[in-house]
Amino acid sequence: MNSQKRFNNETTRFLLQKIGHRNVFLLFATVFVMSLLDLAGIAIIFPSLQVVTQPDAAEKILAVIGVTSTALLELTHRQLSVALGVGLALFYMVKTFFQTALTKTQSRLLARFTADLTNDIVSHVLNARYSTFQETPVSQIAGTANSNTVHASLVLNALMQIGNESLLLIFLLFGFFIFQPFLALGALVLSLLTGYFLYVTVIRRSSKLGTAQNHIENIRYRLLFSIAYAIRDIKIMGLDGLFSARNNRVSHDYAELAWRYNLNNALPRLLTELFALLAIVAASLAIVFFASSFDKAGPLLGVAAVAALRVAPALGRIFSAVNTFKFSRPFVNRLIDLRTSLANAAVSRQDDNLSFNHSIELKNVGFRYGDTQILNNVCIELKRGESIGIVGSSGAGKTTLLDLFTGLQQTTEGRFLCDGVIFDPFTSRSMQKFIGYVPQTITLLDDTIAFNVSFEETPDYERVMRVLKIANLENFIASLPDGIETQVGENGIKLSGGQRQRIGIARALYRNPKILVFDEATSSLDTLTEAELTLEIEKLRSQTSVVIVAHRLSTVIACDRIYVLSDGKIESSGTHSELLLTSETYKKLYASQQGMEHDKEIS
Ligand SMILES: Nc1ncnc2c1ncn2[C@@H]1O[C@H](COP(=O)(O)OP(=O)(O)OP(=O)(O)O)[C@@H](O)[C@H]1O
Ligand SMILES: [Mg+2]
């Protein structure tokens, strides 16, 4: 209970701190003024009707509120009724105007709060280290940023409602206490009992419902993302029925929780009103049976009924808001957890102003995933203007090595030197600027070719054309009616694998990198296209150093130095011809590929 309470406070504190003191006050004030206006709206109807229906009521009411103006008393009943009618109409118009303005302020505040929270999460996401995304699926992050933030504003709104209605209730009860202390005490006890009853029967369960709903929402997002990622496989292998059934199950579970929550939300109001009415009936019966005269008890009962009818809805709203708070809180807590873990994984990049004039060296670099050593004692040197190749079997650690070199992952052992100065690619801004990276699997955005190359809203078209030419896409672009403005579809679905790779290459070149890093970046190209591309890249060598990871040895044969990676260690290094003499692994690799080439030629 204690930890739950602490967590309640934590949720509340987080929300209040996020929206800011000023806005909390503004929000509370709007909610409060709205209820006051509502209360005033109800309060003036009864006396007004009395005045219209009973000619002598005006005098009595004016006397009660202490108005003795003779001018008012001299008005005829008809005049008074008309004045009252006009007055009421005006009051309601002003009230509606104010309430509209307040609703606008309130909705805007809450909507902006949700948007700010989403922004906050997204910027934390962008700032978090890459390894975070290996632990937390993107679907979960998207779900949390999208729907949990909405729950945050629901919780905040619920808190405002609870505070505001409680305040009004305290006023009501206090006023009531002055006139009718016993009745007020009775009402208080009854309210507390109702609250306890509702908490035990309904509200307490909402927390579990919220947790379950959040869980199912995660599953829903994951499923939708999986369908998007695997749509080709689903189609080819006819898995649509299977995915549809899975989706059905998830949607069904979701619906189950949704109606339960809606019922839980309605019950507090319904039950509170029922209890209030039952209390009035019980009180009436008690009066009929026990009171000495109805004349005395009658007005008392009237007051009790009015009080109950005012108090009951307010109580109902409080309980319903508590219910929303309980239900939505797990969503907010998940949001807080995600935000905390992202914030803990934040990477701060430093403007280290490195200049790569001579060389970058990796000295005894190592890397572990938990207890598994992936790379060990790796020593590599890249001189300016050089090209180096890295070869090795699948799973040897080539991509991981590039991840360290490009600063995507942080090394667990060893160090990096740039022109003899120690630096860490993981935190270096300069290194980000140096590198043009073409990954093993290119990700294209659902946008134009120009945007996919430049990542800029207004790209330098000449430069885009130049890099597309180097990437051997000139003829292809010329054949497109929309040229570089052609939309490539989701993840470049409208392009071939090789075209996608070449757009990836153009993207890396667009930034005029000092170091071009290729991870199997030409594996989807035919040998002729690859050879042409290699030739183009060769021409850039005066400004650009190149690191190439490849399975196909022909891709790295011309490199100044080739490193053979085996089981996370550099087994040997040298030029192609040197390695053929010194490295058994390389020799075997070469022999097997020669054989394949030979077979290809024959067939
Ligand atoms: N997030 C991770 N957690 C744990 N192990 C991982 C993770 N990512 C990769 N590995 C492991 O690290 C090893 C090296 O992977 P890496 O991707 O660097 O291989 P590679 O040499 O690039 O292989 P390929 O030629 O198939 O692309 C593999 O055994 C892989 O299973
Ligand atoms: Mg790889």
Side-chain angles (χ1 to χ4, degrees):
M1 186 68 199
N2 227 356
S3 76
Q4 162 127 352
K5 210 169 182 177
R6 218 171 24 242
F7 215 18
N8 268 340
N9 292 343
E10 207 178 303
T11 317
T12 311
R13 224 184 10 253
F14 169 77
L15 294 174
L16 296 184
Q17 181 216 327
K18 272 277 139 208
I19 196 168
H21 293 319
R22 200 185 137 265
N23 286 341
V24 168
F25 175 75
L26 201 61
L27 206 55
F28 190 80
T30 51
V31 177
F32 189 66
V33 174
M34 292 260 266
S35 338
L36 277 189
L37 285 171
D38 269 338
L39 216 59
I42 300 168
I44 62 168
I45 279 192
F46 189 58
S48 307
L49 284 179
Q50 261 189 331
V51 170
V52 177
T53 51
Q54 301 164 23
D56 62 340
E59 218 168 301
K60 280 188 203 157
I61 291 171
L62 287 173
V64 168
I65 54 175
V67 177
T68 49
S69 154
T70 46
L72 265 178
L73 291 173
E74 275 161 21
L75 290 174
T76 64
H77 176 242
R78 189 171 284 189
Q79 285 170 324
L80 201 63
S81 299
V82 171
L84 211 62
V86 173
L88 268 185
L90 277 177
F91 170 79
Y92 280 108
M93 273 154 75
V94 171
K95 173 178 171 278
T96 308
F97 171 79
F98 267 109
Q99 287 192 321
T100 309
L102 291 173
T103 309
K104 182 181 156 194
T105 310
Q106 201 180 330
S107 319
R108 198 164 52 184
L109 258 175
L110 286 176
R112 284 187 182 165
F113 172 66
T114 309
D116 286 347
L117 265 188
T118 306
N119 275 347
D120 180 71
I121 290 291
V122 172
S123 60
H124 273 87
V125 167
L126 291 172
N127 208 20
R129 61 178 64 203
Y130 176 70
S131 54
T132 315
F133 305 99
Q134 293 173 322
E135 309 303 327
T136 318
V138 175
S139 60
Q140 218 180 82
I141 294 176
T144 309
N146 198 24
S147 85
N148 293 39
T149 47
V150 175
H151 285 275
S153 73
L154 290 180
V155 168
L156 195 65
N157 202 24
L159 282 173
M160 294 295 137
Q161 293 286 352
I162 294 168
N164 168 60
E165 297 287 348
S166 308
L167 205 63
L168 282 178
L169 215 56
I170 289 168
F171 277 141
L172 272 175
L173 278 177
F174 190 71
F176 201 23
F177 216 84
I178 294 172
F179 297 112
Q180 296 291 342
F182 285 113
L183 271 183
L185 207 63
L188 185 66
V189 171
L190 197 65
S191 305
L192 290 176
L193 283 178
T194 310
Y196 181 72
F197 174 78
L198 282 173
Y199 183 79
V200 172
T201 53
V202 179
I203 297 172
R204 206 169 46 176
R205 297 209 185 118
S206 286
S207 211
K208 262 194 196 144
L209 278 184
T211 309
Q213 181 94 307
N214 191 16
H215 180 64
I216 295 210
E217 240 178 52
N218 273 339
I219 296 178
R220 223 154 81 134
Y221 270 95
R222 206 178 330 154
L223 189 59
L224 286 177
F225 271 62
S226 312
I227 292 174
Y229 288 143
I231 192 71
R232 282 175 65 91
D233 304 60
I234 292 171
K235 292 268 150 215
I236 291 170
M237 293 189 254
L239 303 174
D240 38 337
L242 189 128
F243 273 85
S244 180
R246 271 176 73 183
N247 190 54
N248 257 346
R249 272 201 303 276
V250 175
S251 300
H252 180 263
D253 289 352
Y254 190 85
E256 278 299 294
L257 292 171
W259 75 252
R260 274 171 216 277
Y261 166 67
N262 285 337
L263 179 66
N264 272 12
N265 237 12
L267 276 177
R269 240 174 282 179
L270 292 174
L271 291 179
T272 313
E273 276 163 32
L274 174 69
F275 290 162
L277 280 166
L278 289 181
I280 293 168
V281 172
S284 321
L285 288 179
I287 285 165
V288 169
F289 281 99
F290 303 113
S292 51
S293 91
F294 190 78
D295 281 353
K296 256 193 194 166
L300 201 68
L301 199 59
V303 176
V306 170
L309 292 179
R310 296 258 167 88
V311 170
L315 263 184
R317 280 197 291 270
I318 292 182
F319 297 142
S320 170
V322 172
N323 190 52
T324 304
F325 180 86
K326 286 269 164 204
F327 178 79
S328 289
R329 199 184 50 127
F331 287 83
V332 182
N333 288 343
R334 169 77 198 114
L335 181 80
I336 298 176
D337 286 348
L338 177 69
R339 192 177 173 277
T340 311
S341 74
L342 290 172
N344 288 340
V347 183
S348 67
R349 292 267 174 183
Q350 273 130 37
D351 287 313
D352 44 0
N353 292 323
L354 293 175
S355 50
F356 168 41
N357 293 321
H358 307 289
S359 69
I360 289 182
E361 290 165 90
L362 279 71
K363 297 250 184 197
N364 311 105
V365 164
F367 183 74
R368 264 176 286 130
Y369 274 122
D371 291 336
T372 320
Q373 191 84 32
I374 307 289
L375 290 170
N376 213 342
N377 236 353
V378 172
C379 297
I380 283 179
E381 185 178 21
L382 173 69
K383 293 205 179 89
R384 178 132 189 217
E386 252 188 357
S387 64
I388 61 170
I390 299 167
V391 296
S393 56
S394 176
K398 303 180 297 293
T399 299
T400 311
L401 179 58
L402 293 187
D403 287 351
L404 303 182
F405 185 75
T406 54
L408 191 65
Q409 301 264 32
Q410 192 166 29
T411 44
T412 43
E413 295 114 41
R415 61 205 160 106
F416 286 78
L417 302 169
C418 178
D419 289 351
V421 179
I422 293 180
F423 80 107
D424 184 357
F426 189 66
T427 53
S428 161
R429 271 234 180 279
S430 308
M431 198 61 177
Q432 282 183 315
K433 287 179 195 153
F434 290 164
I435 284 181
Y437 175 59
V438 192
Q440 197 160 7
T441 317
I442 305 279
T443 310
L444 292 190
L445 307 181
D446 188 5
D447 211 302
T448 61
I449 291 178
F451 186 80
N452 268 294
V453 169
S454 65
F455 279 138
E456 289 170 352
E457 298 295 340
T458 48
D460 176 339
Y461 282 98
E462 223 168 89
R463 185 141 47 114
V464 171
M465 287 314 297
R466 196 174 70 232
V467 292
L468 284 171
K469 183 165 183 256
I470 299 173
N472 218 327
L473 278 169
E474 200 180 26
N475 291 340
F476 170 64
I477 302 289
S479 75
L480 297 170
D482 294 328
I484 57 171
E485 291 303 331
T486 305
Q487 294 282 340
V488 300
E490 189 170 87
N491 207 11
I493 200 158
K494 297 180 188 170
L495 303 177
S496 79
Q499 287 159 351
R500 256 176 264 172
Q501 270 198 335
R502 280 176 285 162
I503 294 208
I505 293 167
R507 178 190 289 171
L509 290 169
Y510 183 82
R511 306 172 71 233
N512 284 331
K514 282 191 170 176
I515 308 165
L516 260 178
V517 180
F518 288 164
D519 188 359
E520 288 291 338
T522 49
S523 58
S524 300
L525 305 183
D526 58 280
T527 29
L528 189 66
T529 314
E530 187 187 27
E532 282 170 7
L533 188 72
T534 312
L535 213 65
E536 290 295 328
I537 305 270
E538 272 298 304
K539 290 185 200 158
L540 301 172
R541 284 274 290 283
S542 57
Q543 317 126 43
T544 313
S545 314
V546 188
V547 180
I548 305 173
V549 161
H551 281 129
R552 206 154 55 191
L553 291 189
S554 59
T555 316
V556 293
I557 239 165
C559 286
D560 296 311
R561 204 164 35 265
I562 301 164
Y563 292 88
V564 182
L565 195 65
S566 171
D567 272 341
K569 295 189 198 79
I570 300 288
E571 191 205 86
S572 42
S573 66
T575 59
H576 171 68
S577 41
E578 282 167 359
L579 281 173
L580 282 180
L581 296 174
T582 55
S583 168
E584 277 306 313
T585 317
Y586 191 83
K587 219 163 30 182
K588 268 192 210 149
L589 214 59
Y590 186 65
S592 67
Q593 292 190 10
Q594 282 298 97
M596 266 160 36
E597 289 299 315
H598 185 65
D599 291 348
K600 257 196 225 161
E601 270 166 37
I602 290 173
S603 65

